[in-house]
Each structure stands twice: as C-alpha cells, then as structure tokens.
Amino acid sequence: MPNAIAYLALLSWPAIAALLFRRLPVGRALIASLLAAYLLLPPLPAQFDFPMMPSLNKDTIPSLVALIGCLVVTRGQLSLLPRGWLARGLVLVFVLSPLATVLSNAEPVYFGRFALPGLRLTEAVGIMMQQGLLIAPFLLARALLDHDGDHEDLLRALLIGGLAYSLPMLLEVRLSPQINIWVYGYFQHNFEQMIRDGGFRPIVFLYHGLWVAFFAMTAVLAAVALARQATGRRAVLLWGCAGYLGVVLLLCKSMASLLYALALVPLLALLSRRLQLLAAVLLASLALGYPLLKGADLVPQDTILELAETVNPDRAHSLGFRLQNEEVLLERAQLKPVFGWGIWGRNHVLSAESGQSLTVTDGRWVIVLGMLGWVGFVAEFGLLALPVFLLWIRDRRAGPAPPPACATVLALLVAVNLVDLIPNATITPLTFLAAGAVLGLVERRYPRDAVAAQSAARRDPIRSVL
C-alpha cells in the first residue's frame, strides 16, 4: 500500500506546478510540469477516489493543474478547441461518447452465477471528466506549443529528462527495482516481470519496465534529432548523449523499444525530413488499420511468432499469449461494437465457476475498443494520428520547402507511440502533448486559405483558344 509520502506528493503537486508557472514562460512551464509529474509522482494504486469524479492520480492531477495554470497565466484568453472541423469533432466525440456507452450498458452482465453491474447515468459524468483530463495536454499544447522553438523545447526536455532518469534507471538495473518501494512504500507491478535475462529491468516511478524503456527510446530519438541540427562541439556532445542513452535503453531489456530505436535512429540521422514524415504516416496508418486487419484475420500471426521464436523463445511465448488474448477480447468487443462495454471489467471474459477474469488486456487499442467501442477507438487513435496526417498533407501542398525539423520528429514520436499501443498501453500525457504541439503548428503554419492559395498559384493557367 502507498505510504503517506505518496499521497503527500500528489497533494503537493499543485504547489510545485504553480511555482513552475510562476518562474517559466507558460509553454515551458506546461512541458516541465507534465514531464516532471510523469517521471516523479507515485503511480497507481496511489490515487484519490471521490464519488462521480475521475480518479485523481499521477495522470489526472498534473493535467488538471496544468489546465488551471495555463488559464490563469493567459487570463482565460486561451482557445482550447482546434480550428478544423474534423479535429474539433474528434475532441467532442472523445469527451462525450462515454455518455452513449453508459446509456447502452444499463443491464448487468452475467457469467454463470457471477454478474457485473450495469452502468448508471451518474457514472457517465466521471468517465467524461476522465476523458477531458486525459485530452487536456493535447488541447493545451495545440494552443501554446505551436512554434518551432516550442517543439525544440519539448525535444530538449525529453533529452534532459532521459539523462536525469538514467541515473535511477541504472541504479535499479544494478540493485533491482526498489526506488518506488524506498520512496513511496510499495511496488507498483509484478516484480517477476522486472527480471529479465539474468538481470533486472528498471521501473523507477512508472507503471512498468516497458514504460521506462519506451521513454528511454524517446530520449534517444530526441538526442539524435537535436544532434543532427547542431554543429561543432554541441553536436559532438549531443551525439555522445544519444550513444549513452542508447546503452541505457539496451539495459532496459525491452525488445520492442530497442527495435524502434534501431529502425528510427538511422531514419532521423540520415534521411530527409519528408521521408521521415512519410515514415510517420505509414506507422500511424499501421496503428489505425491494425484492428481491421486483426478482425479480418489478415495479421500474419504465425509468421510473426516464428520470427520471434528465432530471436527469443520467452518473448515469443509472451507475444503468443498477447495475440490469443486479443482474439478473445476482440470477439467480446464485437458483441457491442459501437459504444463498447464500459467500465467495471465488462469488456473482459470471466470464469463462470470462480468469477476470475480469463483475459488480460495489454494493448491500448483492444482496451479502448472493448470499453468504448469503435466510436471511442476512432476518437482516441484518430485524434492522435490526425496531426501526423495533416502535417504530411499540408506540407505536400504548401510548396518545395521541407517541413519543420522538430515538428517532423514529434510527428514520428507520436506515430511510433501509436504503433506501441498495439502490444502495450504506453499512452501518457506526453503522447497527447506531442500530438497537440504538432496540430498547433499545422494550424498556425499551414492555414487552409494560405495552402489553397499556394496550390492554386502553382497550377498552370487555363488556356483558351479564344
């Protein structure tokens, strides 16, 4: 159980964030408050639960405080909703669709003599508030992080955060994951899952070792992107940081994050921005299309498992377990395909004899699809992927100048995070922050009228025989 320090840390975060917003420009304060909270605050089960309210934890408290801080600093002069009708519609569906989920799940669900309760209208309020807090970093970043300099600040923050976090990570690699126990009095996951290849995977204050490895991979990519833009000694220093963080990532013993880095580091170091952006579009398309491919039985599971078996039999077994659970959960989700099953574990399959859950949810896509249906999936994944597609489309129409370097890197980070949401649930406030920053730049740099005018100017004039 969390100790008093854990709850004190959550309660004191508003004061810490207020100090950041007082000392830093609003954009940097937004980045610093969300990043520091993600890395340092105690993870679940440390939280505060109130009736008809979302759980107040390391994700929701920083988002709520950041929203209040940004509104106070800007004196309420902050346009939160996106300009485009598609992005605005996805935001509204993302926040409001849980109401339809609750209304369509009023009946209890029975598994033999065990039953899960139906949803009440009062619970819709808490779920919608939860959705609003989840998306707050996206909306704030769109409004406040819409310039190239803001994007560079975000990449620098990821790099600095990765370098600072590498110290406790290396400590846990050497001594075993103990820091959350030492500080907050509990271990946040299954300790056996942190044992890998005769050593340990770090977890520090995050939810799982996979989250730590993914963050380390993000820091590596940020270092490579900044190093490519730098010159002289600064470039040498940044390349050194990238190499050091690469070693830390290797020690995290996470195959997926390591493969992401091996694929994307050469892409960021050698290829043009447009090819990087095209890669981001392809990755985002894969993440959006995976549930359809899975449902149509077009995912080559046997081939994937055979390849995994040649690399590591243990990892192949783990992957096979996930794929089997995906099939069962997808069948369950297809019984309520539009708005899903809602909360209380209704999207799972329970044993009729013991009442224990027979399924395990790992991938974010199958979690959202089971709980909120296709409407919720399209709203969440579509909203994260939309800035990537818009940046690519508007850049192609705008002219020969390459897309902004930092925005391209952030789009690639969002896209690889979307892909990681297939096997894992590594969605964080940083995911929404990066996606919102890209959307803000697209709206500011490529307004629809300007893009249309430039496209028309490049067309050949219509010639007439008259």
Side-chain angles (χ1 to χ4, degrees), residues 122-340:
T122 53
E123 290 163 341
V125 178
I127 303 174
M128 288 190 291
M129 293 178 64
Q130 175 85 22
Q131 294 288 91
L133 292 177
L134 185 63
I135 203 175
F138 178 92
L139 301 176
L140 293 172
R142 185 207 68 84
L144 299 171
L145 304 178
D146 59 347
H147 287 74
D148 297 340
D150 300 320
H151 293 186
E152 187 173 355
D153 285 342
L154 180 51
L155 291 176
R156 286 176 179 170
L158 291 173
L159 171 57
I160 295 171
L163 292 172
Y165 223 54
S166 68
L167 300 179
M169 289 166 62
L170 292 175
L171 181 63
E172 290 197 338
V173 168
R174 180 65 181 87
L175 299 180
S176 79
Q178 298 291 331
I179 295 179
N180 202 81
I181 299 175
W182 295 341
V183 178
Y184 295 129
Y186 66 102
F187 191 74
Q188 63 267 49
H189 210 277
N190 186 342
F191 189 86
E192 292 181 357
Q193 293 188 17
M194 302 305 110
I195 302 173
R196 176 71 60 82
D197 299 332
F200 300 101
R201 309 163 75 178
I203 187 171
V204 197
F205 301 125
L206 301 188
Y207 300 111
H208 192 282
L210 296 173
W211 271 249
V212 176
F214 191 85
F215 177 71
M217 182 275 301
T218 302
V220 170
L221 297 185
V224 171
L226 293 172
R228 182 172 178 180
Q229 300 175 43
T231 57
R233 294 182 178 178
R234 186 166 177 266
V236 174
L237 177 61
L238 288 169
W239 282 116
C241 291
Y244 164 74
L245 290 171
V247 174
V248 175
L249 172 60
L250 185 63
L251 294 174
C252 289
K253 303 180 181 69
S254 175
M255 182 62 68
S257 293
L258 185 59
L259 290 176
Y260 299 150
L262 291 175
L264 298 181
V265 165
L267 184 70
L268 289 175
L270 302 174
L271 298 187
S272 67
R273 298 178 197 171
R274 284 212 162 95
L275 288 177
Q276 296 172 12
L277 190 54
L278 177 60
V281 169
L282 294 176
L283 291 174
S285 300
L286 172 62
L288 290 176
Y290 181 81
L292 295 175
L293 297 174
K294 182 77 174 181
D297 200 23
L298 295 177
V299 177
Q301 295 184 181
D302 294 337
T303 303
I304 294 173
L305 289 175
E306 289 175 2
L307 291 174
E309 184 76 25
T310 60
V311 177
N312 190 314
D314 291 337
R315 304 283 65 74
H317 176 75
S318 175
L319 180 59
F321 177 78
R322 295 188 183 204
L323 292 175
Q324 291 174 3
N325 272 271
E326 282 184 357
E327 293 177 357
V328 176
L329 290 166
L330 187 57
E331 291 179 2
R332 177 73 176 165
Q334 288 172 348
L335 298 176
K336 281 185 175 286
V338 181
F339 296 112

Side-chain angles (χ1 to χ4, degrees), residues 358-436:
L358 300 177
T359 50
V360 177
T361 51
D362 286 309
R364 176 71 180 181
W365 74 272
V366 79
I367 295 173
V368 175
L369 193 62
M371 294 180 63
L372 300 175
W374 279 104
V375 172
F377 172 83
V378 170
E380 182 171 308
F381 279 65
L383 195 60
L384 291 172
L386 182 62
V388 179
F389 290 120
L390 287 180
L391 180 61
W392 180 63
I393 293 170
R394 302 282 176 88
D395 171 71
R396 286 172 60 87
R397 295 177 179 176
C406 293
T408 301
V409 177
L410 290 180
L412 194 58
L413 292 178
V414 172
V416 72
N417 201 162
L418 280 168
V419 170
D420 199 57
L421 296 182
I422 296 175
N424 301 311
T426 50
I427 192 167
T428 71
L430 303 182
T431 310
F432 286 100
L433 194 71

Side-chain angles (χ1 to χ4, degrees), residues 97-107 119-121 124 336 339:
S97 66
L99 176 60
T101 298
V102 169
L103 292 175
S104 60
N105 283 277
E107 75 289 351
L119 304 185
R120 299 167 297 178
L121 187 59
K336 281 185 175 286
F339 296 112

